[in-house]
């Protein structure tokens, strides 16, 4: 089950309010030193997508990404002056030192 914290929902909702798109897409691509990385994208077309959540924000992903989002938590964190989305995946076999990518 993919879960989203209240602070992440609040930030995603704010991003959608300022954009023309209606939905959030969680993409997973080869990237970084460990293999894969999560990306948050705005989108309008959700045909054929797996719906992860619908309330308060509709979040979708490609069907093929389902194994990579199981047990993942999306949070929005502030560390000092830095603010960012953080994906926590307890099923990842390893992560790179900077935490940007993971191996599955």
């Amino acid at each position: 089950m993919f879960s989203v914290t209240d602070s992440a929902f609040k930030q995603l909702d704010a991003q959608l309010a300022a954009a023309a798109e209606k939905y959030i897409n969680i993409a997973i691509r080869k990237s970084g030193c460990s293999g894969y990385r999560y990306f948050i994208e705005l989108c309008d077309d959700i045909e054929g997508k797996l719906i992860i959540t619908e309330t308060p924000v509709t979040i979708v992903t490609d069907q093929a990404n389902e194994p990579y989002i199981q047990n993942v938590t999306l949070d929005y964190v502030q560390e000092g002056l830095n603010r960012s989305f953080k994906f926590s995946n307890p099923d990842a076999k390893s992560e790179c030192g900077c935490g940007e990518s993971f191996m599955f």
Side-chain angles (χ1 to χ4, degrees):
M1 170 184 230
F2 186 87
S3 59
V4 183
T5 66
D6 289 340
S7 62
F9 269 132
K10 183 178 177 182
Q11 184 61 29
L12 291 170
D13 191 40
Q15 287 185 358
L16 285 174
E21 293 84 4
K22 300 179 206 170
Y23 310 107
I24 300 292
N25 180 57
I26 303 297
I28 300 167
R29 296 189 191 103
K30 289 190 174 204
S31 179
C33 31
S34 288
Y36 297 96
R37 183 175 178 199
Y38 295 103
F39 291 88
I40 297 174
E41 304 170 336
L42 304 177
C43 68
D44 277 326
D45 183 18
I46 61 171
E47 186 174 334
K49 299 270 189 185
L50 174 67
I51 296 174
I52 301 170
T53 67
E54 292 187 86
T55 306
V57 174
T58 300
I59 301 174
V60 299
T61 193
D62 291 335
Q63 296 281 344
N65 293 338
E66 187 172 12
Y68 300 102
I69 63 164
Q70 294 296 317
N71 302 317
V72 171
T73 299
L74 174 59
D75 194 8
Y76 186 73
V77 296
Q78 181 173 348
E79 296 170 351
L81 298 175
N82 297 318
R83 297 177 200 162
S84 64
F85 286 102
K86 179 173 173 71
F87 290 88
S88 298
N89 184 345
D91 297 331
K93 292 187 183 223
S94 66
E95 290 184 352
C96 67
C98 64
E100 291 293 320
S101 63
F102 66 95
M103 185 180 296
F104 197 76

